[in-house]
Amino acid sequence: MKYSKLTQTYEALSKTSKRLKKIAILAEFLKTLKDEDKEVLYLLLGRAYPAYDERRIGVSEKLAIKAISKATGIETEKVMQEWKTTGDLGGVAEKLISKRKQKSLDSKELTTQKVLENLRKLPEMEGKGSISKKLNIIVELLSSAKPLEAKYIVRTIIGDLRIGIQESTIRDALAEAFFEKSASSKIQEALDRSNDLAKVFEACKTKNLKSLAQFEIEVGKPIKVMLAQKVSTIEEGFKALGKPCAIEYKYDGFRLVIHKKGKEVILFTRRLENVTKQFPEVVENVLKYVKGDSFILDSEAIGYDKKTKKYTPFQAISQRIKRKYGIEKLCKELPVEVHVFDILHYNGKSVVNEPFKKRTAMLKRIIIKKPYKIVPAKQIITSDEKKAKEFYKMALKDNQEGVMMKNLNAKYKPGKRVGYMLKIKPEERDLDLVITGAEYGKGKRKGWFSSFILSCKKGNEYLEVGKVGTGIKEKKEEGLSFEELTERIKPLIIKEEANKVKVKPKIVVAVTYQEIQKSPNYKSGLALRFPRITALRDDKPVSEISTLEEIKREFEKQKN
Ligand code: AMP
């Protein structure tokens, strides 16, 4: 397919902010797409691969600027200047390519296949000389590109397409193009199981809803996990689920989906990232202590203190997820224990449609319980509210977030937030705090501050009590946004170091949290657990924010 046809669609999509209009534009486009062009669906999301594939195009702005410069013969400083005034590197490429005097002699009309082919070479290049090879691959595309094509090539490689499309928009467009609106949920199920838009498109194109049922989960391919809804009390939980039901600890770790096939174990996070290399001890424990030739398990990995054996909050082990070096040492220093709470596939067969009571019983049969290595999640099955409440109390005492309540007859629905798995956590509390520092974000949040240091007051001093990144929105329309906070913070900067800044204490925010902990990392000696910004408190003078005394009092109350 001609790349220009796709870029015209991108352009039409970017010109409207109305979701229904976007769906209509996409539906028309999808109707004209041939089977052989199915991978164009990845490009619609700014990617070169399906969602289950981790490879990212990942080109820095700096390299993109060099490529634009090389393709147009305009100095990098000039390109940079243009970028600074508009903030849109794609737009800069469009403008500068349109000024280019002549195209290179051997340039051909770009096709989506050629664009995909070049994009796919990018993640593969590593090590010496890879930068200049990457540069050539991008320049090759830009040299053949028309202005509008150059705009979207650049936006794609830097991961900032700006057309306002998500997987769910394409899902609804597929329904509109090939079925009726009501087919959306069936299409979503196929997506949740396959994580491959191109394959689902192919099935939709047959206009036969049954063809969507072919997508089964597969061992080795990441799956979107099932999510829980929230209730406030055990009574509410029983009311929603009926009696008896299963109650489990809600562990404060991170979701880990474990795949095993023969001697191979693969670990995925809930964001479908492959983290096998980061957790060699988990791989070893799975091979040793879980019976079965092949399976997919759903679990929570949680950190514990190697000396006291006490569980630690998630933050303590979060660095293990991203770390690529010194893994052996980190395994010893920050060990994790895996709590398995569900099973999706066993010895060649999907078990997602089996009732939960059968799946949870299976776990107990196949896992050889090894504390501090791998165990089934702590669970009771009861109809007794008193017993359930005691269990909840025990979970909190054991330093966990709360409990999960689960219906015994329910299926496992990948990718769904379901009403038959419920989470219960203690109510959140409020404080008013002032922002005294911030850190620049990465990826989608590049250019904005994305995490904020919060401080309370002690006399005339401001003491740090935590760091927060949640509660703030990416889009302005949705409330307090990163962009707005960034604009407010910029004039208040007192000191800048790498990606961190210290700022004058001026911006007051309302913050909820779940718990206060002792912390040697902060001058106040305390740290908020799970803080979330709920609002700007412009109405509140800094002199009236929460004091260290108040927070200490809350901490004491909580201990009792
Ligand atoms: P939340 O992230 O607040 O929506 O809570 C749901 C998360 O709790 C899941 O995504 C899991 O990562 C985690 N979790 C901890 N323990 C369990 C458990 N026993 N069953 C299910 N999920 C659990």
Side-chain angles (χ1 to χ4, degrees), residues 225-228 248-256 270 298-300 339 341 377-378 401 404 406 417 421 423 425:
V225 294
M226 179 163 83
L227 301 168
E248 295 175 356
Y249 270 27
K250 182 180 190 310
Y251 297 98
D252 178 18
F254 63 94
R255 194 98 178 230
L256 198 61
R270 68 192 270 180
D298 196 357
S299 77
E300 187 89 353
H339 293 258
F341 54 75
K378 206 173 170 91
E401 275 188 286
M404 308 291 295
K406 300 179 182 182
R417 193 172 288 284
M421 172 161 101
K423 54 186 174 191
K425 311 192 253 194

PDB file of all heavy atoms in Angstrom, residues 225-228 248-256 270 298-300 339 341 377-378 401 404 406 417 421 423 425, ligand 1:
ATOM      1  N   VAL A 225      -3.901  -9.326  31.854  1.00  0.00           N
ATOM      2  CA  VAL A 225      -4.436  -9.988  33.042  1.00  0.00           C
ATOM      3  C   VAL A 225      -5.841  -9.522  33.368  1.00  0.00           C
ATOM      4  O   VAL A 225      -6.306  -8.492  32.874  1.00  0.00           O
ATOM      5  CB  VAL A 225      -3.514  -9.748  34.266  1.00  0.00           C
ATOM      6  CG1 VAL A 225      -2.188 -10.421  34.061  1.00  0.00           C
ATOM      7  CG2 VAL A 225      -3.355  -8.260  34.547  1.00  0.00           C
ATOM      8  N   MET A 226      -6.489 -10.294  34.239  1.00  0.00           N
ATOM      9  CA  MET A 226      -7.819  -9.915  34.710  1.00  0.00           C
ATOM     10  C   MET A 226      -7.664  -8.915  35.859  1.00  0.00           C
ATOM     11  O   MET A 226      -6.774  -9.055  36.689  1.00  0.00           O
ATOM     12  CB  MET A 226      -8.532 -11.179  35.201  1.00  0.00           C
ATOM     13  CG  MET A 226      -9.906 -10.964  35.743  1.00  0.00           C
ATOM     14  SD  MET A 226     -10.837 -12.508  35.835  1.00  0.00           S
ATOM     15  CE  MET A 226     -10.256 -13.184  37.395  1.00  0.00           C
ATOM     16  N   LEU A 227      -8.532  -7.895  35.878  1.00  0.00           N
ATOM     17  CA  LEU A 227      -8.410  -6.857  36.907  1.00  0.00           C
ATOM     18  C   LEU A 227      -9.606  -6.868  37.859  1.00  0.00           C
ATOM     19  O   LEU A 227     -10.669  -7.379  37.518  1.00  0.00           O
ATOM     20  CB  LEU A 227      -8.296  -5.484  36.240  1.00  0.00           C
ATOM     21  CG  LEU A 227      -7.097  -5.342  35.295  1.00  0.00           C
ATOM     22  CD1 LEU A 227      -7.225  -4.086  34.467  1.00  0.00           C
ATOM     23  CD2 LEU A 227      -5.798  -5.347  36.084  1.00  0.00           C
ATOM     24  N   ALA A 228      -9.393  -6.268  39.019  1.00  0.00           N
ATOM     25  CA  ALA A 228     -10.402  -6.332  40.077  1.00  0.00           C
ATOM     26  C   ALA A 228     -11.175  -5.028  40.210  1.00  0.00           C
ATOM     27  O   ALA A 228     -10.671  -3.967  39.873  1.00  0.00           O
ATOM     28  CB  ALA A 228      -9.715  -6.639  41.394  1.00  0.00           C
ATOM     29  N   GLU A 248      -8.373 -13.771  49.801  1.00  0.00           N
ATOM     30  CA  GLU A 248      -6.921 -13.935  49.732  1.00  0.00           C
ATOM     31  C   GLU A 248      -6.216 -12.665  50.181  1.00  0.00           C
ATOM     32  O   GLU A 248      -6.792 -11.575  50.090  1.00  0.00           O
ATOM     33  CB  GLU A 248      -6.501 -14.245  48.286  1.00  0.00           C
ATOM     34  CG  GLU A 248      -7.023 -15.576  47.796  1.00  0.00           C
ATOM     35  CD  GLU A 248      -6.704 -15.820  46.321  1.00  0.00           C
ATOM     36  OE1 GLU A 248      -6.147 -14.923  45.654  1.00  0.00           O
ATOM     37  OE2 GLU A 248      -7.032 -16.912  45.850  1.00  0.00           O
ATOM     38  N   TYR A 249      -4.978 -12.800  50.585  1.00  0.00           N
ATOM     39  CA  TYR A 249      -4.173 -11.623  50.856  1.00  0.00           C
ATOM     40  C   TYR A 249      -4.039 -10.831  49.559  1.00  0.00           C
ATOM     41  O   TYR A 249      -3.872 -11.418  48.490  1.00  0.00           O
ATOM     42  CB  TYR A 249      -2.752 -12.036  51.279  1.00  0.00           C
ATOM     43  CG  TYR A 249      -2.562 -12.245  52.757  1.00  0.00           C
ATOM     44  CD1 TYR A 249      -3.619 -12.620  53.577  1.00  0.00           C
ATOM     45  CD2 TYR A 249      -1.306 -12.081  53.326  1.00  0.00           C
ATOM     46  CE1 TYR A 249      -3.425 -12.815  54.932  1.00  0.00           C
ATOM     47  CE2 TYR A 249      -1.100 -12.279  54.681  1.00  0.00           C
ATOM     48  CZ  TYR A 249      -2.168 -12.649  55.481  1.00  0.00           C
ATOM     49  OH  TYR A 249      -1.968 -12.843  56.809  1.00  0.00           O
ATOM     50  N   LYS A 250      -4.117  -9.507  49.667  1.00  0.00           N
ATOM     51  CA  LYS A 250      -3.765  -8.671  48.512  1.00  0.00           C
ATOM     52  C   LYS A 250      -2.325  -8.225  48.746  1.00  0.00           C
ATOM     53  O   LYS A 250      -2.068  -7.341  49.554  1.00  0.00           O
ATOM     54  CB  LYS A 250      -4.698  -7.469  48.385  1.00  0.00           C
ATOM     55  CG  LYS A 250      -4.380  -6.627  47.171  1.00  0.00           C
ATOM     56  CD  LYS A 250      -5.314  -5.445  47.061  1.00  0.00           C
ATOM     57  CE  LYS A 250      -5.181  -4.709  45.739  1.00  0.00           C
ATOM     58  NZ  LYS A 250      -3.830  -4.353  45.361  1.00  0.00           N
ATOM     59  N   TYR A 251      -1.421  -8.875  48.071  1.00  0.00           N
ATOM     60  CA  TYR A 251       0.001  -8.619  48.289  1.00  0.00           C
ATOM     61  C   TYR A 251       0.436  -7.327  47.632  1.00  0.00           C
ATOM     62  O   TYR A 251      -0.040  -6.976  46.560  1.00  0.00           O
ATOM     63  CB  TYR A 251       0.825  -9.792  47.727  1.00  0.00           C
ATOM     64  CG  TYR A 251       0.521 -11.087  48.429  1.00  0.00           C
ATOM     65  CD1 TYR A 251      -0.366 -11.999  47.870  1.00  0.00           C
ATOM     66  CD2 TYR A 251       1.106 -11.388  49.647  1.00  0.00           C
ATOM     67  CE1 TYR A 251      -0.670 -13.184  48.517  1.00  0.00           C
ATOM     68  CE2 TYR A 251       0.812 -12.574  50.297  1.00  0.00           C
ATOM     69  CZ  TYR A 251      -0.081 -13.464  49.726  1.00  0.00           C
ATOM     70  OH  TYR A 251      -0.378 -14.633  50.371  1.00  0.00           O
ATOM     71  N   ASP A 252       1.358  -6.659  48.279  1.00  0.00           N
ATOM     72  CA  ASP A 252       1.851  -5.390  47.750  1.00  0.00           C
ATOM     73  C   ASP A 252       3.154  -5.624  47.000  1.00  0.00           C
ATOM     74  O   ASP A 252       4.235  -5.321  47.475  1.00  0.00           O
ATOM     75  CB  ASP A 252       2.059  -4.407  48.913  1.00  0.00           C
ATOM     76  CG  ASP A 252       2.610  -3.077  48.428  1.00  0.00           C
ATOM     77  OD1 ASP A 252       2.509  -2.801  47.221  1.00  0.00           O
ATOM     78  OD2 ASP A 252       3.141  -2.331  49.261  1.00  0.00           O
ATOM     79  N   GLY A 253       3.020  -6.205  45.813  1.00  0.00           N
ATOM     80  CA  GLY A 253       4.207  -6.454  45.001  1.00  0.00           C
ATOM     81  C   GLY A 253       3.891  -6.045  43.582  1.00  0.00           C
ATOM     82  O   GLY A 253       3.268  -5.023  43.373  1.00  0.00           O
ATOM     83  N   PHE A 254       4.298  -6.861  42.611  1.00  0.00           N
ATOM     84  CA  PHE A 254       3.896  -6.554  41.244  1.00  0.00           C
ATOM     85  C   PHE A 254       3.442  -7.832  40.566  1.00  0.00           C
ATOM     86  O   PHE A 254       3.866  -8.928  40.905  1.00  0.00           O
ATOM     87  CB  PHE A 254       5.037  -5.889  40.475  1.00  0.00           C
ATOM     88  CG  PHE A 254       6.235  -6.763  40.315  1.00  0.00           C
ATOM     89  CD1 PHE A 254       6.395  -7.533  39.176  1.00  0.00           C
ATOM     90  CD2 PHE A 254       7.180  -6.845  41.320  1.00  0.00           C
ATOM     91  CE1 PHE A 254       7.483  -8.369  39.048  1.00  0.00           C
ATOM     92  CE2 PHE A 254       8.270  -7.672  41.199  1.00  0.00           C
ATOM     93  CZ  PHE A 254       8.422  -8.439  40.053  1.00  0.00           C
ATOM     94  N   ARG A 255       2.545  -7.640  39.618  1.00  0.00           N
ATOM     95  CA  ARG A 255       1.927  -8.765  38.934  1.00  0.00           C
ATOM     96  C   ARG A 255       2.954  -9.460  38.068  1.00  0.00           C
ATOM     97  O   ARG A 255       3.692  -8.805  37.314  1.00  0.00           O
ATOM     98  CB  ARG A 255       0.797  -8.220  38.073  1.00  0.00           C
ATOM     99  CG  ARG A 255      -0.155  -9.245  37.549  1.00  0.00           C
ATOM    100  CD  ARG A 255      -1.352  -9.284  38.438  1.00  0.00           C
ATOM    101  NE  ARG A 255      -2.352 -10.215  37.976  1.00  0.00           N
ATOM    102  CZ  ARG A 255      -3.639  -9.892  37.848  1.00  0.00           C
ATOM    103  NH1 ARG A 255      -4.047  -8.691  38.081  1.00  0.00           N
ATOM    104  NH2 ARG A 255      -4.510 -10.823  37.485  1.00  0.00           N
ATOM    105  N   LEU A 256       2.988 -10.774  38.133  1.00  0.00           N
ATOM    106  CA  LEU A 256       3.934 -11.536  37.334  1.00  0.00           C
ATOM    107  C   LEU A 256       3.175 -12.701  36.714  1.00  0.00           C
ATOM    108  O   LEU A 256       2.583 -13.507  37.432  1.00  0.00           O
ATOM    109  CB  LEU A 256       5.048 -12.044  38.259  1.00  0.00           C
ATOM    110  CG  LEU A 256       6.334 -12.490  37.619  1.00  0.00           C
ATOM    111  CD1 LEU A 256       6.997 -11.347  36.863  1.00  0.00           C
ATOM    112  CD2 LEU A 256       7.290 -13.011  38.678  1.00  0.00           C
ATOM    113  N   ARG A 270       2.298  -7.074  33.948  1.00  0.00           N
ATOM    114  CA  ARG A 270       0.946  -6.823  33.434  1.00  0.00           C
ATOM    115  C   ARG A 270       0.972  -5.900  32.234  1.00  0.00           C
ATOM    116  O   ARG A 270       0.001  -5.799  31.515  1.00  0.00           O
ATOM    117  CB  ARG A 270       0.037  -6.286  34.539  1.00  0.00           C
ATOM    118  CG  ARG A 270       0.399  -4.908  35.027  1.00  0.00           C
ATOM    119  CD  ARG A 270      -0.352  -4.599  36.274  1.00  0.00           C
ATOM    120  NE  ARG A 270      -1.626  -3.967  35.990  1.00  0.00           N
ATOM    121  CZ  ARG A 270      -2.478  -3.589  36.936  1.00  0.00           C
ATOM    122  NH1 ARG A 270      -2.204  -3.816  38.190  1.00  0.00           N
ATOM    123  NH2 ARG A 270      -3.589  -2.995  36.629  1.00  0.00           N
ATOM    124  N   ASP A 298      -0.832 -16.976  37.134  1.00  0.00           N
ATOM    125  CA  ASP A 298      -0.951 -15.550  37.433  1.00  0.00           C
ATOM    126  C   ASP A 298      -0.548 -15.370  38.890  1.00  0.00           C
ATOM    127  O   ASP A 298      -1.013 -16.127  39.758  1.00  0.00           O
ATOM    128  CB  ASP A 298      -2.403 -15.107  37.207  1.00  0.00           C
ATOM    129  CG  ASP A 298      -2.533 -13.591  37.120  1.00  0.00           C
ATOM    130  OD1 ASP A 298      -1.516 -12.894  37.291  1.00  0.00           O
ATOM    131  OD2 ASP A 298      -3.665 -13.118  36.879  1.00  0.00           O
ATOM    132  N   SER A 299       0.321 -14.396  39.146  1.00  0.00           N
ATOM    133  CA  SER A 299       0.861 -14.301  40.502  1.00  0.00           C
ATOM    134  C   SER A 299       1.269 -12.880  40.863  1.00  0.00           C
ATOM    135  O   SER A 299       1.272 -11.990  40.020  1.00  0.00           O
ATOM    136  CB  SER A 299       2.085 -15.201  40.620  1.00  0.00           C
ATOM    137  OG  SER A 299       3.208 -14.591  39.998  1.00  0.00           O
ATOM    138  N   GLU A 300       1.623 -12.700  42.114  1.00  0.00           N
ATOM    139  CA  GLU A 300       2.173 -11.442  42.591  1.00  0.00           C
ATOM    140  C   GLU A 300       3.542 -11.757  43.191  1.00  0.00           C
ATOM    141  O   GLU A 300       3.667 -12.665  44.018  1.00  0.00           O
ATOM    142  CB  GLU A 300       1.232 -10.843  43.649  1.00  0.00           C
ATOM    143  CG  GLU A 300       1.605  -9.457  44.087  1.00  0.00           C
ATOM    144  CD  GLU A 300       0.982  -8.334  43.240  1.00  0.00           C
ATOM    145  OE1 GLU A 300       0.350  -8.611  42.202  1.00  0.00           O
ATOM    146  OE2 GLU A 300       1.161  -7.163  43.632  1.00  0.00           O
ATOM    147  N   HIS A 339       3.702 -15.355  44.944  1.00  0.00           N
ATOM    148  CA  HIS A 339       2.429 -15.879  45.451  1.00  0.00           C
ATOM    149  C   HIS A 339       1.518 -16.127  44.265  1.00  0.00           C
ATOM    150  O   HIS A 339       1.071 -15.180  43.620  1.00  0.00           O
ATOM    151  CB  HIS A 339       1.795 -14.869  46.399  1.00  0.00           C
ATOM    152  CG  HIS A 339       2.599 -14.697  47.642  1.00  0.00           C
ATOM    153  ND1 HIS A 339       2.263 -15.278  48.824  1.00  0.00           N
ATOM    154  CD2 HIS A 339       3.768 -14.056  47.855  1.00  0.00           C
ATOM    155  CE1 HIS A 339       3.184 -14.984  49.725  1.00  0.00           C
ATOM    156  NE2 HIS A 339       4.103 -14.248  49.159  1.00  0.00           N
ATOM    157  N   PHE A 341      -1.842 -16.966  42.421  1.00  0.00           N
ATOM    158  CA  PHE A 341      -3.268 -16.935  42.769  1.00  0.00           C
ATOM    159  C   PHE A 341      -4.197 -17.398  41.658  1.00  0.00           C
ATOM    160  O   PHE A 341      -5.401 -17.492  41.852  1.00  0.00           O
ATOM    161  CB  PHE A 341      -3.686 -15.553  43.294  1.00  0.00           C
ATOM    162  CG  PHE A 341      -3.354 -14.398  42.389  1.00  0.00           C
ATOM    163  CD1 PHE A 341      -4.090 -14.157  41.259  1.00  0.00           C
ATOM    164  CD2 PHE A 341      -2.291 -13.558  42.693  1.00  0.00           C
ATOM    165  CE1 PHE A 341      -3.793 -13.090  40.437  1.00  0.00           C
ATOM    166  CE2 PHE A 341      -1.984 -12.486  41.880  1.00  0.00           C
ATOM    167  CZ  PHE A 341      -2.745 -12.258  40.738  1.00  0.00           C
ATOM    168  N   ALA A 377      -1.159 -18.298  46.928  1.00  0.00           N
ATOM    169  CA  ALA A 377      -1.539 -17.135  47.740  1.00  0.00           C
ATOM    170  C   ALA A 377      -2.286 -17.606  48.982  1.00  0.00           C
ATOM    171  O   ALA A 377      -3.039 -18.582  48.926  1.00  0.00           O
ATOM    172  CB  ALA A 377      -2.426 -16.209  46.922  1.00  0.00           C
ATOM    173  N   LYS A 378      -2.071 -16.906  50.085  1.00  0.00           N
ATOM    174  CA  LYS A 378      -2.751 -17.263  51.333  1.00  0.00           C
ATOM    175  C   LYS A 378      -4.250 -17.048  51.151  1.00  0.00           C
ATOM    176  O   LYS A 378      -4.681 -15.981  50.724  1.00  0.00           O
ATOM    177  CB  LYS A 378      -2.222 -16.362  52.441  1.00  0.00           C
ATOM    178  CG  LYS A 378      -2.337 -16.967  53.808  1.00  0.00           C
ATOM    179  CD  LYS A 378      -1.633 -16.049  54.788  1.00  0.00           C
ATOM    180  CE  LYS A 378      -1.897 -16.459  56.197  1.00  0.00           C
ATOM    181  NZ  LYS A 378      -0.927 -17.377  56.733  1.00  0.00           N
ATOM    182  N   GLU A 401      -1.476  -5.014  51.501  1.00  0.00           N
ATOM    183  CA  GLU A 401      -2.381  -3.899  51.199  1.00  0.00           C
ATOM    184  C   GLU A 401      -3.810  -4.098  51.654  1.00  0.00           C
ATOM    185  O   GLU A 401      -4.519  -3.134  51.879  1.00  0.00           O
ATOM    186  CB  GLU A 401      -2.444  -3.739  49.679  1.00  0.00           C
ATOM    187  CG  GLU A 401      -1.369  -2.923  49.086  1.00  0.00           C
ATOM    188  CD  GLU A 401      -1.685  -2.690  47.620  1.00  0.00           C
ATOM    189  OE1 GLU A 401      -1.539  -3.642  46.825  1.00  0.00           O
ATOM    190  OE2 GLU A 401      -2.086  -1.591  47.286  1.00  0.00           O
ATOM    191  N   MET A 404      -8.330  -9.685  48.697  1.00  0.00           N
ATOM    192  CA  MET A 404      -9.108  -9.850  47.474  1.00  0.00           C
ATOM    193  C   MET A 404     -10.227 -10.840  47.817  1.00  0.00           C
ATOM    194  O   MET A 404      -9.981 -11.822  48.524  1.00  0.00           O
ATOM    195  CB  MET A 404      -8.275 -10.479  46.348  1.00  0.00           C
ATOM    196  CG  MET A 404      -6.967  -9.816  46.035  1.00  0.00           C
ATOM    197  SD  MET A 404      -7.102  -8.200  45.292  1.00  0.00           S
ATOM    198  CE  MET A 404      -7.880  -8.572  43.738  1.00  0.00           C
ATOM    199  N   LYS A 406     -13.050 -13.372  45.991  1.00  0.00           N
ATOM    200  CA  LYS A 406     -13.271 -13.937  44.654  1.00  0.00           C
ATOM    201  C   LYS A 406     -14.441 -14.911  44.632  1.00  0.00           C
ATOM    202  O   LYS A 406     -14.553 -15.766  45.516  1.00  0.00           O
ATOM    203  CB  LYS A 406     -12.001 -14.662  44.207  1.00  0.00           C
ATOM    204  CG  LYS A 406     -10.804 -13.735  44.132  1.00  0.00           C
ATOM    205  CD  LYS A 406      -9.534 -14.447  43.701  1.00  0.00           C
ATOM    206  CE  LYS A 406      -8.376 -13.461  43.702  1.00  0.00           C
ATOM    207  NZ  LYS A 406      -7.121 -14.063  43.259  1.00  0.00           N
ATOM    208  N   ARG A 417     -11.826  -5.885  33.705  1.00  0.00           N
ATOM    209  CA  ARG A 417     -12.013  -5.538  35.115  1.00  0.00           C
ATOM    210  C   ARG A 417     -13.353  -6.127  35.501  1.00  0.00           C
ATOM    211  O   ARG A 417     -14.386  -5.700  34.996  1.00  0.00           O
ATOM    212  CB  ARG A 417     -11.988  -4.019  35.298  1.00  0.00           C
ATOM    213  CG  ARG A 417     -11.869  -3.594  36.732  1.00  0.00           C
ATOM    214  CD  ARG A 417     -11.643  -2.100  36.863  1.00  0.00           C
ATOM    215  NE  ARG A 417     -10.313  -1.664  36.452  1.00  0.00           N
ATOM    216  CZ  ARG A 417      -9.208  -1.824  37.176  1.00  0.00           C
ATOM    217  NH1 ARG A 417      -9.260  -2.412  38.351  1.00  0.00           N
ATOM    218  NH2 ARG A 417      -8.053  -1.395  36.726  1.00  0.00           N
ATOM    219  N   MET A 421     -14.136 -10.388  41.061  1.00  0.00           N
ATOM    220  CA  MET A 421     -12.879 -10.390  41.827  1.00  0.00           C
ATOM    221  C   MET A 421     -12.803  -8.974  42.411  1.00  0.00           C
ATOM    222  O   MET A 421     -12.760  -7.989  41.679  1.00  0.00           O
ATOM    223  CB  MET A 421     -11.696 -10.658  40.901  1.00  0.00           C
ATOM    224  CG  MET A 421     -10.357 -10.489  41.590  1.00  0.00           C
ATOM    225  SD  MET A 421      -9.014 -11.312  40.713  1.00  0.00           S
ATOM    226  CE  MET A 421      -8.264  -9.923  39.871  1.00  0.00           C
ATOM    227  N   LYS A 423     -11.349  -6.039  45.315  1.00  0.00           N
ATOM    228  CA  LYS A 423     -10.252  -5.709  46.222  1.00  0.00           C
ATOM    229  C   LYS A 423     -10.786  -4.848  47.354  1.00  0.00           C
ATOM    230  O   LYS A 423     -11.667  -4.015  47.145  1.00  0.00           O
ATOM    231  CB  LYS A 423      -9.130  -5.000  45.475  1.00  0.00           C
ATOM    232  CG  LYS A 423      -9.583  -3.787  44.707  1.00  0.00           C
ATOM    233  CD  LYS A 423      -8.445  -3.215  43.884  1.00  0.00           C
ATOM    234  CE  LYS A 423      -8.954  -2.091  43.006  1.00  0.00           C
ATOM    235  NZ  LYS A 423      -8.020  -1.635  42.013  1.00  0.00           N
ATOM    236  N   LYS A 425      -9.242  -2.394  50.431  1.00  0.00           N
ATOM    237  CA  LYS A 425      -8.083  -1.784  51.068  1.00  0.00           C
ATOM    238  C   LYS A 425      -8.598  -0.756  52.071  1.00  0.00           C
ATOM    239  O   LYS A 425      -9.707  -0.260  51.918  1.00  0.00           O
ATOM    240  CB  LYS A 425      -7.209  -1.036  50.054  1.00  0.00           C
ATOM    241  CG  LYS A 425      -6.853  -1.785  48.820  1.00  0.00           C
ATOM    242  CD  LYS A 425      -5.773  -1.037  48.063  1.00  0.00           C
ATOM    243  CE  LYS A 425      -6.299  -0.381  46.825  1.00  0.00           C
ATOM    244  NZ  LYS A 425      -5.260   0.070  45.913  1.00  0.00           N
TER     245      LYS A 425
HETATM  246  P1  AMP B   1      -5.091  -2.735  42.031  1.00  0.00           P
HETATM  247  O1  AMP B   1      -3.741  -2.709  41.394  1.00  0.00           O
HETATM  248  O2  AMP B   1      -5.237  -1.826  43.215  1.00  0.00           O
HETATM  249  O3  AMP B   1      -6.195  -2.622  41.007  1.00  0.00           O
HETATM  250  O4  AMP B   1      -5.280  -4.197  42.679  1.00  0.00           O
HETATM  251  C1  AMP B   1      -5.243  -5.367  41.926  1.00  0.00           C
HETATM  252  C2  AMP B   1      -3.847  -5.937  41.937  1.00  0.00           C
HETATM  253  O5  AMP B   1      -3.557  -6.593  43.165  1.00  0.00           O
HETATM  254  C3  AMP B   1      -3.631  -7.036  40.932  1.00  0.00           C
HETATM  255  O6  AMP B   1      -3.352  -6.510  39.671  1.00  0.00           O
HETATM  256  C4  AMP B   1      -2.450  -7.813  41.492  1.00  0.00           C
HETATM  257  O7  AMP B   1      -1.241  -7.263  40.992  1.00  0.00           O
HETATM  258  C5  AMP B   1      -2.518  -7.539  42.986  1.00  0.00           C
HETATM  259  N1  AMP B   1      -2.774  -8.727  43.814  1.00  0.00           N
HETATM  260  C6  AMP B   1      -2.161  -8.970  44.981  1.00  0.00           C
HETATM  261  N2  AMP B   1      -2.594 -10.079  45.555  1.00  0.00           N
HETATM  262  C7  AMP B   1      -3.541 -10.609  44.731  1.00  0.00           C
HETATM  263  C8  AMP B   1      -4.378 -11.774  44.795  1.00  0.00           C
HETATM  264  N3  AMP B   1      -4.340 -12.625  45.819  1.00  0.00           N
HETATM  265  N4  AMP B   1      -5.242 -11.969  43.766  1.00  0.00           N
HETATM  266  C9  AMP B   1      -5.304 -11.101  42.721  1.00  0.00           C
HETATM  267  N5  AMP B   1      -4.541  -9.994  42.615  1.00  0.00           N
HETATM  268  C10 AMP B   1      -3.662  -9.730  43.606  1.00  0.00           C
END
